[in-house]
Amino acid sequence: MTSINAEEHLYEMLKDFSTAMLITTDADGFQNARPMSIAELKPDVAMYFSAQRGSPKVKAIAANPAALVTFQSASEYASLSGKATIVNDRALIERLWSESWRVWFPGGKEDPDLILIRFDPSTAEYWDNSGAEGLKYMFEGLKAYLQGRQPAVDPEINAKVTLGE
């Protein structure tokens, strides 16, 4: 097994994603998932998304800030649990503004309906089957299958991470 910093590995894995699934729970207890473009991912894996002030996701966060954000590619997966908050910081909106947002915010960065959602994860789990480690795990899995046992999992492939400590 290799010695790695799981929090750093998680950030390195997530920094190339441009979209994530944000899952919230509405006032009636129903969970809703929607793809969200990542406005910024910080090294501590806190992140920002743009949103419309009166949208169902913003109402859900106001009722229950507990949220889940998931990431998936062909060989990398992550699930982060934490808290979402609504941010109406115009300087931050100005800094994070992307012209692609104009589709939803025709008034640009000054659009009064444009706010941000900040997601602060407290726990995460990732599965990274990319590169040589993924191939190594595939062979370890095949070997374990043939021997009738479960494969050993290297923290470069799978780890649970407690964040914000």
Side-chain angles (χ1 to χ4, degrees):
M1 250 204 283
T2 4
S3 175
I4 67 157
N5 179 313
E7 188 172 337
E8 287 175 14
H9 186 84
L10 176 66
Y11 172 73
E12 287 299 316
M13 198 175 102
L14 299 182
K15 72 179 184 179
D16 294 327
F17 281 85
S18 60
T19 306
M21 293 294 286
L22 171 66
I23 298 101
T24 57
T25 304
D26 68 20
D28 295 325
F30 292 102
Q31 293 181 318
N32 296 289
R34 79 277 294 154
M36 299 289 290
S37 179
I38 302 164
E40 181 178 53
L41 176 70
K42 298 177 140 316
D44 65 357
V45 293
M47 62 198 75
Y48 289 97
F49 306 101
S50 64
Q52 289 183 322
R53 186 176 303 278
S55 66
K57 66 184 148 280
V58 169
K59 291 177 184 173
I61 290 166
N64 181 358
L68 180 72
V69 174
T70 64
F71 297 81
Q72 179 177 342
S73 73
S75 60
E76 297 172 316
Y77 315 88
S79 174
L80 293 77
S81 297
K83 179 181 167 190
T85 52
I86 305 307
V87 177
N88 192 19
D89 178 332
R90 300 324 285 181
L92 183 59
I93 290 170
E94 167 88 22
R95 182 174 68 78
L96 297 179
W97 171 258
S98 170
E99 192 58 32
S100 65
W101 298 356
R102 195 171 294 277
V103 172
W104 296 281
F105 306 104
K109 32 187 135 164
E110 292 82 25
D111 193 313
D113 284 336
L114 172 58
I115 58 169
L116 298 171
I117 296 170
R118 178 182 168 107
F119 177 74
D120 290 291
S122 53
T123 61
E125 185 169 9
Y126 64 81
W127 300 262
D128 184 356
N129 296 322
S130 63
E133 290 300 318
L135 288 173
K136 183 175 129 186
Y137 181 69
M138 183 178 72
F139 288 119
E140 171 64 26
L142 178 60
K143 186 171 119 183
Y145 171 76
L146 293 172
Q147 294 174 349
R149 62 176 177 78
Q150 289 188 342
V153 179
D154 187 307
E156 285 194 45
I157 294 171
N158 173 246
K160 292 182 180 178
V161 184
T162 301
L163 301 159
E165 292 188 340

